[in-house]
């Protein structure tokens, strides 16, 4: 067993004791709150079912077809309002319980690692630094959810759940294109790097492009299917221009896929660095102007920790970039971070808390590796 594994086991054992003495009471309180939200959700679903059942009975008693009644603009508007209210009622217990959990537990969890860390809703990573990383050189809007900021081991740390979007104009239509959703981790390092080092994970470009445009296809197909169903219920022929609109949409969508496929996606101006670590090279490509500095920064210990970070984030795509005194790590994941509870599981279930601790530990272990690296560099200078 490696030294890092022993250290991780030691940290997890220490946290288990810390959890029993400082956090278990909070999670016991959350368990009673969770049961209240479960009751609210069941009541809301029963209420919605009774409303829908009453609507169907009303149509049957009056010999009305459900679709004929809904074809009225007033009934359609009321139906949409009811669906919105019903959806809000179903989502409310999940959102409220998640918010209460984070407010009651996250600061205490962070205090275990360092007293200067705190949980906040404010986005503390500047958009300039996000763009300087060269992962997301252009985006129009950033939306953040949960953030951790403060100091760990005398390094300034910012961890943020982010969604970056770009506004795309297609004639008169304008829509938001998601270019990133996941976790951004920014470290203000003591070391200063002369050149930028960009490490991008290898990926299947065709799969990424299809993934980006699949929702456009989904919207087109849903629109065409719903319109066809409405025309069938009304016993009318579907206008030719609807099919033409659908066909043009498909052609445009596949055209954009082809353009994106042949467009260069590599990081420009940097030269690729070939490393000796086979496992690391299978996962990432390294670009840097100064190959000597890149090899000095990407030590076996750091590469091992980056692989551990990727593993603890369920193997999602992970990129990172060094420049100046900055390190930005981008974890592409659609899941929320800091989820220590679930509405359908007991709040006292320790496994979800343990998963969050493992994720935080993997991030902070990168800082420990960089600190040791900086100390060794300083030592070399002193000896010389």
């Amino acid at each position: 067993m490696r030294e890092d594994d022993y250290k991780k086991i030691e940290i997890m054992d220490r946290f288990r004791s810390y959890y029993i003495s400082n956090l278990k009471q909070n999670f016991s309180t959350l368990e009673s709150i969770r049961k209240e939200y479960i009751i609210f959700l069941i009541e809301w679903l029963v209420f919605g079912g009774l409303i829908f059942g009453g609507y169907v009975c009303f149509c049957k008693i009056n010999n009305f077809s459900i679709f004929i009644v809904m074809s009225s603009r007033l009934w359609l508007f009321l139906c949409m309002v009811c669906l919105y209210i019903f959806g809000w009622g179903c989502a409310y217990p999940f959102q409220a319980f998640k918010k209460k959990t984070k407010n009651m537990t996250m600061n205490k969890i962070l205090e275990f690692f360092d007293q200067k860390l705190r949980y906040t809703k404010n986005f503390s990573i500047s958009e300039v630094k996000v763009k300087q990383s060269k992962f997301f050189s252009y985006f129009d809007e950033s939306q953040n959810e949960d953030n951790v900021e403060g100091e760990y081991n005398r390094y300034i740390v910012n961890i943020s759940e982010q969604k970056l979007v770009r506004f795309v104009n297609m004639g008169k239509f304008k829509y938001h294109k998601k270019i990133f959703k996941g976790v951004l981790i920014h470290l203000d390092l003591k070391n200063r790097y002369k050149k930028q080092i960009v490490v991008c994970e290898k990926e299947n470009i065709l799969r990424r492009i299809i993934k980006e445009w699949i929702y456009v296809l989904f919207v087109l197909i849903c629109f065409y299917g719903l319109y066809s169903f409405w025309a069938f219920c009304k016993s009318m022929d579907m206008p030719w221009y609807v099919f033409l609109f659908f066909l043009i949409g498909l052609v445009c969508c596949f055209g954009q896929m082809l353009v994106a496929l042949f467009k260069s996606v590599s990081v420009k101006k940097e030269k690729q660095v070939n490393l000796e670590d086979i496992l690391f090279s299978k996962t990432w490509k390294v670009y840097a102007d100064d190959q000597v500095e890149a090899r000095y920064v990407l030590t076996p210990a750091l590469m091992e920790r980056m692989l551990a970070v990727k593993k603890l984030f369920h193997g999602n795509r992970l990129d990172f970039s060094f420049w100046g005194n900055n390190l930005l790590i981008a974890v592409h994941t659609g899941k929320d971070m800091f989820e220590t509870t679930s509405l359908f599981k007991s709040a006292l279930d320790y496994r979800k808390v343990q998963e969050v601790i493992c994720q935080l530990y993997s991030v902070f272990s990168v800082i420990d590796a960089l600190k040791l690296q900086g100390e060794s560099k300083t030592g070399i200078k002193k000896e010389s």
Side-chain angles (χ1 to χ4, degrees), residues 216-228 246:
V216 180
L217 283 171
F218 179 75
V219 170
L220 285 170
I221 292 169
C222 284
F223 165 78
Y224 186 73
L226 287 172
Y227 197 97
S228 302
F246 175 70

Side-chain angles (χ1 to χ4, degrees), residues 173-186:
F173 300 98
K174 182 179 179 182
Y175 71 97
H176 293 184
K177 180 182 178 183
K178 181 185 72 175
I179 61 173
F180 173 77
K181 181 171 174 38
V183 180
L184 293 180
I185 304 163
H186 178 263

Side-chain angles (χ1 to χ4, degrees), residues 132-322:
Q132 285 176 345
S133 69
K134 295 191 177 180
F135 301 141
F136 322 108
S137 57
Y138 171 67
F139 59 89
D140 296 302
E141 186 178 288
S142 61
Q143 303 166 5
N144 71 295
E145 292 184 15
D146 301 312
N147 304 278
V148 172
E149 61 181 11
E151 289 185 27
Y152 172 78
N153 218 344
R154 293 186 297 175
Y155 281 79
I156 297 174
V157 183
N158 295 289
I159 306 174
S160 176
E161 284 189 60
Q162 278 291 304
K163 181 180 178 182
L164 305 177
V165 297
R166 182 182 300 165
F167 301 146
V168 179
N169 294 317
M170 296 181 66
K172 294 182 179 180
F173 300 98
K174 182 179 179 182
Y175 71 97
H176 293 184
K177 180 182 178 183
K178 181 185 72 175
I179 61 173
F180 173 77
K181 181 171 174 38
V183 180
L184 293 180
I185 304 163
H186 178 263
L187 308 178
D188 193 347
L189 306 174
K190 306 295 181 183
N191 310 341
R192 186 165 184 86
Y193 303 100
K194 296 178 182 178
K195 303 291 184 180
Q196 185 161 11
I197 305 164
V198 181
V199 184
C200 299
E201 185 170 333
K202 296 177 181 179
E203 62 174 339
N204 188 317
I205 298 174
L206 182 60
R207 185 175 62 184
R208 180 177 66 85
I209 292 168
I210 293 174
K211 185 179 178 181
E212 286 182 358
W213 287 92
I214 197 71
Y215 76 95
V216 180
L217 283 171
F218 179 75
V219 170
L220 285 170
I221 292 169
C222 284
F223 165 78
Y224 186 73
L226 287 172
Y227 197 97
S228 302
F229 184 67
W230 179 78
F232 172 77
C233 293
K234 297 288 289 181
S235 299
M236 58 180 286
D237 295 330
M238 190 167 61
W240 61 272
Y241 54 80
V242 174
F243 178 75
L244 182 62
F245 171 80
F246 175 70
L247 191 62
I248 292 172
L250 286 179
V251 171
C252 290
C253 185
F254 283 111
Q256 289 288 340
M257 285 184 182
L258 290 174
V259 169
L261 179 63
F262 291 107
K263 188 178 179 181
S264 175
V265 294
S266 61
V267 180
K268 297 179 180 179
K269 299 181 182 179
E270 282 82 17
K271 297 177 182 179
Q272 187 167 350
V273 181
N274 295 317
L275 300 174
E276 295 179 359
D277 192 302
I278 298 174
L279 184 59
F280 189 87
S281 298
K282 280 183 178 180
T283 309
W284 285 286
K285 287 184 179 180
V286 182
Y287 301 90
D289 284 332
D290 191 335
Q291 296 212 4
V292 175
E293 185 179 37
R295 286 188 171 87
Y296 175 81
V297 173
L298 298 171
T299 60
L302 181 63
M303 290 190 286
E304 186 176 339
R305 281 167 170 78
M306 285 301 184
L307 286 166
V309 173
K310 178 177 172 62
K311 183 178 179 181
L312 288 167
F313 279 98
H314 305 290
N316 289 289
R317 180 185 167 187
L318 186 149
D319 304 320
F320 52 101
S321 175
F322 297 87

Side-chain angles (χ1 to χ4, degrees), residues 72-131:
S72 167
R73 291 184 179 181
L74 177 61
W75 275 99
L76 184 59
F77 172 75
L78 291 174
C79 184
M80 294 300 293
V81 170
C82 290
L83 285 173
Y84 175 80
I85 296 173
F86 180 72
W88 173 87
C90 290
Y92 170 74
F94 292 93
Q95 297 297 327
F97 183 62
K98 182 168 69 173
K99 185 178 179 181
K100 281 185 180 293
T101 299
K102 291 177 179 178
N103 289 336
M104 290 178 63
T105 61
M106 273 310 302
N107 280 319
K108 286 191 176 182
I109 289 173
L110 293 169
E111 283 176 8
F112 170 77
F113 291 98
D114 200 301
Q115 294 287 333
K116 295 181 180 179
L117 292 169
R118 65 183 184 275
Y119 172 76
T120 177
K121 283 289 183 181
N122 300 320
F123 180 43
S124 51
I125 306 175
S126 70
E127 293 186 359
V128 175
K129 288 183 178 178
V130 175
K131 292 178 180 179

